[in-house]
Amino acid sequence: MSIPQQGGGPIEHRDQLAAYIASGEKPKADWRIGTEHEKFGYDSAGLKPLPYEGPVSITAMLTGLRDRFGWSPVLEAGNLIGLERNGANISLEPGGQLELSGAPLETIHQTCDEVNSHLAEVEAVAHDIGAGFIGLGAAPIWSQDEMPMMPKGRYRLMTDYMGRVGTLGTQMMYRTCTVQVNLDFASEADMVQKLRVALALQPVATALFANSPFLDGKPNGMKSWRAHIWQNLDAARTGMLPFVFEDGFGYEAWVDYVLDVPMYFVYRDGKYIDALGQSFRDFLDGRLPALPGEVPTLSDWADHMTTVFPEARVKKYIEMRGADGGPWRRLCALPALWVGLTYDQGALDAAWDLVKGWDAETREGLRVAAGRDGLQAEVGAIRMHDLAREVLAIAEAGLKARARPGQGGLVPDETHFLSALKESVDTGRVPADDLLAHYHGDWAGDLSRIYGEYSY
């Protein structure tokens, strides 16, 4: 989850809110790729989640990464809660999931190098303290009560609120992991087209990356339990956002949506002030009960924008949010998929042509079916397996058109990063299918074997 935003004076006019989003516009030459990925840490001896403190813990991991690899500490109320280095950040999800928010990079070759370097550093420190890390969409065995809470004020407030709305919010916070990619836009029109494609095709990413078929030690009936959680969370801040597909959608419509999402907090002087359920519209008028008489700053607006959780999200860039966490090949494949679809205009137009005739019911149906059935999902006449094949062909064409070489020119483009996804389309199997085959086959129902065979 996001760290507190910095900078920005008081908001004097509402048009500053849309202008904040528009300030992210970049010419195509300056477009970058930012990959975020989370993983679960555990004690190698007992296979239990890492506590915050102790010899085998989150603190030991962060301290080891800081001291051995030159990361700078990020503190909250005296607690070590993250690290930063050269434009990248390591942060903590509520249950101790370790997240790398990568630096903005030019090519997928670079972002995959970053992933590999990060995982090597994590493995080195984890080995020394007796910990392990695993890439899955949901914790397969640990109960909700076993999950620790990281010492971040934002999470204490969110945990309380999640218990009042939806049904699975705390599971999302403490027992799920994702991989995301953040991508740029050139203009309002470019943002609109990319966001529409991102939302409509997010179920394809959910299906291809489905990797959470277990919960509480047994199969849960879903290929992606993480996706199922997001369908049963806080309806005020999640979903497929039908309004994005309406005529006239743009920055102002996004502002209206975010303003109507109930607040979580206001960050002041290193502390999170409880504003649960209050209105940012009231805040603009100086009528926020949590801070009577104060008006928000642009950093308050930036913070509030991080508390909306749809399948794709706009800030100063667009976040693709529909995929389960997973093995390293898929950490590189996720940015390859979306860069291929959106960073070449021909590919973006082809992707839009593929989905522009769908209605809201179709998009939502695909979202639900993807989490349940993976590539076997069907909605009306749409078969997810066929759709995924078409989408990958468009993404591959987009990456070829980008023609960004790697390894000193020995690799002509970035298409090979799609290989894991092409294998899934060729076989009809996603990671969840392989996990279930092991569970019912050679593991004979012993899910503890997942740690030995699927850890980084």
Side-chain angles (χ1 to χ4, degrees):
M1 296 218 179
S2 300
I3 60 175
Q5 304 299 301
Q6 303 293 329
I11 297 172
E12 298 176 349
H13 307 286
R14 182 199 148 103
D15 57 11
Q16 290 175 260
L17 306 182
Y20 176 84
I21 304 170
S23 70
E25 294 176 359
K26 296 180 177 68
K28 186 173 183 177
D30 293 339
W31 290 354
R32 296 294 181 265
I33 306 162
T35 305
E36 304 179 18
H37 52 90
E38 304 160 359
K39 52 255 174 222
F40 294 106
Y42 60 89
D43 184 324
S44 297
L47 303 181
K48 295 297 183 182
L50 295 179
Y52 177 69
E53 295 180 303
V56 187
S57 68
I58 291 296
T59 300
M61 280 298 308
L62 293 177
T63 300
L65 290 167
R66 179 196 66 192
D67 294 346
R68 290 183 58 178
F69 297 107
W71 291 84
S72 299
V74 176
L75 303 175
E76 181 181 315
N79 295 308
L80 182 60
I81 58 156
L83 303 165
E84 55 187 9
R85 185 184 69 190
N86 299 330
N89 293 277
I90 294 174
S91 59
L92 303 177
E93 292 296 291
Q97 306 97 310
L98 198 69
E99 177 179 9
L100 176 72
S101 297
L105 300 170
E106 291 187 49
T107 71
I108 303 163
H109 306 289
Q110 293 170 340
T111 200
C112 202
D113 287 345
E114 178 189 59
V115 167
N116 292 336
S117 175
H118 170 70
L119 293 180
E121 291 181 3
V122 167
E123 193 280 332
V125 175
H127 178 269
D128 287 351
I129 69 171
F133 281 84
I134 190 167
L136 297 165
I141 299 175
W142 308 323
S143 70
Q144 191 73 21
D145 291 342
E146 288 181 287
M147 302 307 296
M149 179 190 289
M150 297 300 101
K152 299 177 71 171
R154 173 182 178 131
Y155 296 158
R156 284 190 290 271
L157 292 173
M158 287 179 64
T159 299
D160 177 63
Y161 191 73
M162 287 293 188
R164 305 182 214 162
V165 295
T167 57
L168 299 176
T170 54
Q171 283 195 30
M172 176 276 292
M173 293 177 64
Y174 292 91
R175 292 201 283 174
T176 66
C177 284
T178 186
V179 54
Q180 300 178 189
V181 63
N182 305 324
L183 299 174
D184 291 315
F185 49 86
S187 64
E188 185 172 32
D190 188 41
M191 180 278 288
V192 170
Q193 188 179 21
K194 285 176 175 171
L195 184 60
R196 287 172 173 170
V197 166
L199 285 166
L201 291 180
Q202 211 63 223
V204 177
T206 297
L208 285 168
F209 288 81
N211 192 32
S212 49
F214 305 117
L215 192 75
D216 296 327
K218 59 184 183 298
N220 55 42
M222 301 282 170
K223 299 290 178 71
S224 173
W225 184 257
R226 187 202 61 82
H228 176 70
I229 285 174
W230 282 106
Q231 295 158 24
N232 295 272
L233 205 134
D234 182 352
R237 66 186 79 237
T238 60
M240 294 290 279
L241 308 185
F243 75 92
V244 169
F245 297 86
E246 295 175 357
D247 291 342
F249 172 74
Y251 296 144
E252 285 292 344
W254 187 263
V255 167
D256 279 335
Y257 161 63
V258 177
L259 285 175
D260 286 333
V261 171
M263 292 179 67
Y264 279 154
F265 61 83
V266 181
Y267 188 74
R268 288 288 184 275
D269 302 320
K271 296 180 180 179
Y272 288 89
I273 297 170
D274 184 345
L276 292 171
Q278 296 176 29
S279 165
F280 206 94
R281 293 184 189 274
D282 289 343
F283 201 4
L284 288 173
D285 293 335
R287 296 185 288 107
L288 190 73
L291 288 174
E294 284 199 32
V295 295
T297 65
L298 280 174
S299 59
D300 293 326
W301 174 239
D303 278 335
H304 184 54
M305 292 183 76
T306 70
T307 69
V308 301
F309 307 129
E311 294 295 294
R313 176 169 74 181
V314 178
K315 295 192 287 190
K316 290 185 179 181
Y317 44 83
I318 300 174
E319 297 181 359
M320 312 302 182
R321 300 172 48 82
D324 283 4
W328 76 265
R329 289 179 74 206
R330 287 173 186 266
L331 301 182
C332 301
L334 192 278
L337 174 66
W338 289 112
V339 168
L341 289 172
T342 64
Y343 270 16
D344 171 72
Q345 190 61 48
L348 182 60
D349 289 342
W352 176 236
D353 286 342
L354 189 63
V355 305
K356 64 185 180 183
W358 297 351
D359 58 20
E361 290 73 23
T362 298
R363 293 189 294 268
E364 181 63 23
L366 286 168
R367 177 194 184 209
V368 173
R372 183 182 61 241
D373 301 322
L375 287 181
Q376 285 68 53
E378 294 188 21
V379 175
I382 300 173
R383 297 178 68 246
M384 183 65 76
H385 197 169
D386 294 336
L387 176 61
R389 184 178 288 108
E390 290 184 80
V391 168
L392 280 183
I394 295 170
E396 185 173 31
L399 293 177
K400 285 182 179 178
R402 257 172 66 84
R404 296 300 180 93
Q407 297 185 21
L410 296 176
V411 179
D413 55 40
E414 301 155 308
T415 55
H416 66 285
F417 292 112
L418 294 173
S419 60
L421 306 185
K422 293 173 75 173
E423 287 173 18
S424 284
V425 167
D426 289 344
T427 62
R429 295 167 65 91
V430 298
D433 295 308
D434 293 332
L435 289 171
L436 288 166
H438 282 302
Y439 178 83
H440 293 296
D442 56 308
W443 294 352
D446 180 8
L447 196 48
S448 67
R449 292 187 53 184
I450 199 171
Y451 297 103
E453 299 188 30
Y454 276 83
S455 293
Y456 291 121

